[in-house]
Amino acid sequence: MAETKREIERKYEATPDTEIPDLTGAAGIADVVGKGVTELDAVYYDTPGLRLAADSITLRRRTGGEDEGWHLKFPVATGIREEIHAPLGDTVPRVLAGLLRSRTRGTPLVPVVRLRSSRDVRHLVDGQGRLLAELSLDTVHAERLTPGNGTAGWTEIEVELADGADPALLGPVGKRLRKAGIKPASAPSKLARALAETETETETEAEAGPAAAASAAAQRKAGAAAGPGDTAAVHAEEQASSRHADAFAPAGGQRAPKAPEAAKSVRHRGARLASGYAGEHVLAYLREQRDAIVALDPAVRRDLPDAVHQMRVATRRMRSAFKSFRKIVDRSVTDPVGEELKWLAGELGTARDQEVMAERLRGRLDELPRQMLLGPVRSRLRIWATSHRADARRRSVAVLDTERYLGLLDTLDALLDEPPLLPAAKAKPAVALPKAVLKDYDRLAARIELALGLPAGHDRDLAMHDARKAAKRARYSGEAVTPVLGRPAKRFAKRMKAVQTVLGDHQDSVVARETLRDLAVQAHAAGESAFTWGLLFGREEATAADRERELPEVWAEASRAGLRASLEG
């Protein structure tokens, strides 16, 4: 079973003869207790192309010390990492390998660096002897395990906050160290420094072939390159490259439509557009969503709060951007990718939708007087939510292990490496981007007009739902161009969000009524009273009616005069 902890630490440069200054009196430190020297031996694993290092992720197998075993660390913020610990074993634990799958995608994890450290440990304690932080003076020897076999050595100081201690402690401790001439470390981690300092002369991308070229960006970011002599590793990278080349083939096995002729659509290898072009801003937004999907994968697997929702949002934003900026990015290429994103959002949506609905209905029950709660309504809702959540949770995790999902990630990489940009991609952002946003706005306006023109009932419910999707798309496009257009786009997105909120609550009431009917049927079949479920059904009908009456006013405010002019500058 893997254990998780939050690691908060600071690193400093040192030499073998560095003297640690007196730290007592700094931020409540009453004493510094020497704990002796520990010998640590850690082997760090990564893909041959160093994909983990490129994302500042570390995976190691360490012996020696109190916490020997496998450690997987994800960055949270500067000096803060989430550490997941698994028992010592000869191979990468399955649970840790799963958390890395969105990065590795079938490429094997191999030893890349070995670090042997002599760690001189001191405990910083308060007046009651409670541990506040651990300071260690580490003498490190690094050995590159990939071809090249470079070595390096250095000494550093590491100050790691104890569990539950106040992070503010690190400031005064750091100040004492700096006053003693001890500077903060330039490398964010031992691994990053080892990769940089053990790097030897490597092959060029052309010499290494397409496998190395595919991982070159990750190598450069990590500060190291894959070695030329690891046959198994290169073979694995070639397999990944093969999947990458087929990335535009939909899940059904048939290849997506080819990009139009060069006169209409121009692929830009590496997306090397000048920052003044509209296309570069769109690509930056798309990359942001792709990166979010990959980064959120481990959080979804760990069932962290809001992870599924955020991953769904990223898929929806990307799919929406394909449509909104179809004059910039060729839809004949992106449409099949958008369908795969829709599939992923749908698979993830089961868990999220059940969670939201259970929360909504619990809130509705809390609003009722006790005398209106007839029968074991809370127990029935709890059973419904628990059973559905368990099934949805298994489904969400299972989909992340499918070839279809991993193929989608490869597809996104391929699309952003060689984006199918149309000539409008080279237009000025102030011209091309407002046009795209206002087209989404016009689409929303038409759908709201249609919905408000229908009588209350099923047809209006469907029209309101269509308008909600249009409002979300308009909001997303406004948010996408905010870095370029600034305050007008931000205001636009805020107005569209207000419309989306009203339409969203209306749609939630529609779905809630379907769920309440099912719960009422189940209660009746079990011999329980269905009164409370019927009462909630009526309240949800009233909520929907309220949102329908509210919509014209909200829309009038969102679409008030000056909106178009503010976006067009």
Side-chain angles (χ1 to χ4, degrees):
M1 180 66 69
E3 299 177 357
T4 302
K5 63 171 288 188
R6 180 65 60 91
E7 177 187 82
I8 304 176
E9 65 181 17
R10 299 290 184 270
K11 294 180 180 292
Y12 299 87
E13 305 284 355
T15 63
D17 59 352
T18 294
E19 293 288 339
I20 306 297
D22 181 15
L23 298 175
T24 57
I29 297 173
D31 197 6
V32 179
V33 182
K35 305 301 288 186
V37 177
T38 301
E39 300 298 325
L40 306 175
D41 191 346
V43 176
Y44 287 77
Y45 286 70
D46 207 327
T47 67
L50 300 176
R51 297 178 185 175
L52 304 187
D55 286 341
S56 300
I57 296 170
T58 61
L59 172 66
R60 74 184 179 204
R61 179 187 185 275
R62 189 169 77 180
T63 57
E66 297 180 353
D67 64 343
E68 67 177 10
W70 287 89
H71 305 127
L72 174 60
K73 299 184 181 183
F74 290 99
V76 176
T78 301
I80 303 176
R81 294 188 290 182
E82 198 80 17
E83 180 179 310
I84 304 168
H85 181 274
L88 192 65
D90 293 333
T91 58
V92 179
R94 175 181 286 186
V95 63
L96 301 189
L99 296 178
L100 295 171
R101 196 155 289 135
S102 65
R103 271 88 173 187
T104 61
R105 305 180 200 174
T107 304
L109 290 163
V110 297
V112 292
V113 167
R114 182 182 185 184
L115 296 182
R116 284 172 288 181
S117 306
S118 290
R119 169 163 288 184
D120 187 357
V121 178
R122 297 162 173 81
H123 281 183
L124 313 182
V125 300
D126 65 11
Q128 286 73 46
R130 291 176 299 206
L131 180 64
L132 299 176
E134 180 177 284
L135 182 148
S136 62
L137 180 64
D138 294 344
T139 302
V140 184
H141 175 77
E143 177 188 358
R144 192 65 162 262
L145 301 178
T146 52
N149 300 321
T151 61
W154 67 88
T155 303
E156 69 178 35
I157 294 171
E158 185 177 289
V159 182
E160 181 175 346
L161 202 68
D163 293 343
D166 187 354
L169 168 91
L170 296 174
V173 170
K175 186 176 181 179
R176 291 277 182 98
L177 294 175
R178 289 192 298 274
K179 280 188 175 181
I182 301 172
K183 299 179 180 179
S186 56
S189 68
K190 286 183 173 67
L191 176 61
R193 182 166 182 172
L195 288 172
E197 296 192 11
T198 63
E199 182 178 18
T200 58
E201 186 175 352
T202 59
E203 299 173 302
T204 63
E205 291 178 26
E207 291 170 336
S215 62
Q219 293 171 359
R220 286 191 291 270
K221 186 174 179 181
D230 190 338
T231 305
V234 170
H235 176 66
E237 292 283 18
E238 286 174 347
Q239 287 181 321
S241 293
S242 176
R243 276 202 309 172
H244 193 75
D246 290 336
F248 290 111
Q254 295 184 352
R255 188 169 292 276
K258 293 182 179 179
E261 296 300 325
K264 182 180 178 184
S265 172
V266 181
R267 293 277 184 93
H268 290 265
R269 179 175 291 276
R272 299 182 186 280
L273 283 177
S275 60
Y277 290 147
E280 185 53 39
H281 294 289
V282 172
L283 290 176
Y285 180 78
L286 292 174
R287 291 189 191 103
E288 182 181 339
Q289 309 317 315
R290 185 271 314 275
D291 292 348
I293 293 170
V294 172
L296 286 163
D297 177 295
V300 172
R301 293 175 188 272
R302 295 169 60 197
D303 199 22
L304 296 184
D306 209 36
V308 168
H309 172 62
Q310 292 301 325
M311 193 172 187
R312 274 182 94 192
V313 168
T315 64
R316 286 172 168 172
R317 288 183 190 277
M318 195 171 209
R319 183 166 171 255
S320 180
F322 287 155
K323 296 177 179 178
S324 296
F325 304 109
R326 58 190 178 276
K327 298 292 186 181
I328 294 172
V329 184
D330 192 343
R331 281 193 66 179
S332 70
V333 177
T334 62
D335 276 355
V337 183
E339 286 303 307
E340 290 301 281
L341 289 168
K342 181 181 180 180
W343 160 78
L344 177 59
E347 293 294 313
L348 294 172
T350 304
R352 172 64 180 174
D353 292 344
Q354 297 291 347
E355 179 183 339
V356 171
M357 184 54 60
E359 183 178 349
R360 183 183 182 96
L361 295 185
R362 279 194 292 268
R364 293 301 195 200
L365 289 175
D366 291 342
E367 294 170 359
L368 293 178
R370 180 173 298 180
Q371 60 267 29
M372 297 296 182
L373 302 178
L374 303 187
V377 289
R378 293 191 185 278
S379 296
R380 178 157 295 282
L381 178 58
R382 184 167 56 251
I383 292 170
W384 175 86
T386 301
S387 62
H388 282 74
R389 187 182 188 281
D391 291 342
R393 161 75 181 150
R394 284 191 293 269
R395 181 175 176 178
S396 295
V397 173
V399 77
L400 299 184
D401 287 327
T402 63
E403 282 298 315
R404 183 174 183 179
Y405 165 70
L406 297 177
L408 172 59
L409 297 184
D410 284 344
T411 296
L412 297 177
D413 288 346
L415 183 127
L416 292 172
D417 283 346
E418 296 190 35
L421 298 177
L422 296 169
K426 289 190 174 183
K428 293 181 179 180
V431 175
L433 299 183
K435 287 182 179 179
V437 175
L438 290 173
K439 196 168 186 67
D440 285 340
Y441 167 79
D442 291 340
R443 178 171 173 268
L444 170 60
R447 292 195 178 187
I448 287 183
E449 182 180 357
L450 174 63
L452 293 178
L454 293 172
H458 179 68
D459 289 343
R460 174 180 268 197
D461 288 344
L462 292 178
M464 295 274 281
H465 183 42
D466 285 343
R468 171 179 175 256
K469 290 186 286 187
K472 185 179 295 186
R473 179 164 148 186
R475 171 195 167 190
Y476 286 164
S477 63
E479 291 173 345
V481 303
T482 294
V484 184
L485 303 183
R487 186 175 297 177
K490 186 176 182 179
R491 285 198 300 265
F492 173 86
K494 185 177 180 180
R495 294 184 191 183
M496 297 305 103
K497 183 178 180 180
V499 177
Q500 177 193 334
T501 298
V502 172
L503 292 167
D505 196 35
H506 180 275
Q507 176 61 18
D508 288 347
S509 75
V510 173
V511 177
R513 278 176 272 161
E514 296 172 358
T515 302
L516 288 166
R517 183 183 181 282
D518 290 342
L519 287 167
V521 170
Q522 293 170 18
H524 179 75
E528 302 164 6
S529 171
F531 170 81
T532 300
W533 306 119
L535 181 60
L536 293 185
F537 187 100
R539 291 199 169 195
E540 289 292 355
E541 281 187 319
T543 295
D546 288 344
R547 299 295 84 79
E548 290 175 21
R549 286 191 293 269
E550 184 181 353
L551 179 59
E553 181 179 347
V554 172
W555 175 242
E557 173 64 19
S559 60
R560 65 180 184 269
L563 180 143
R564 302 185 73 93
S566 67
L567 277 177
E568 292 172 335

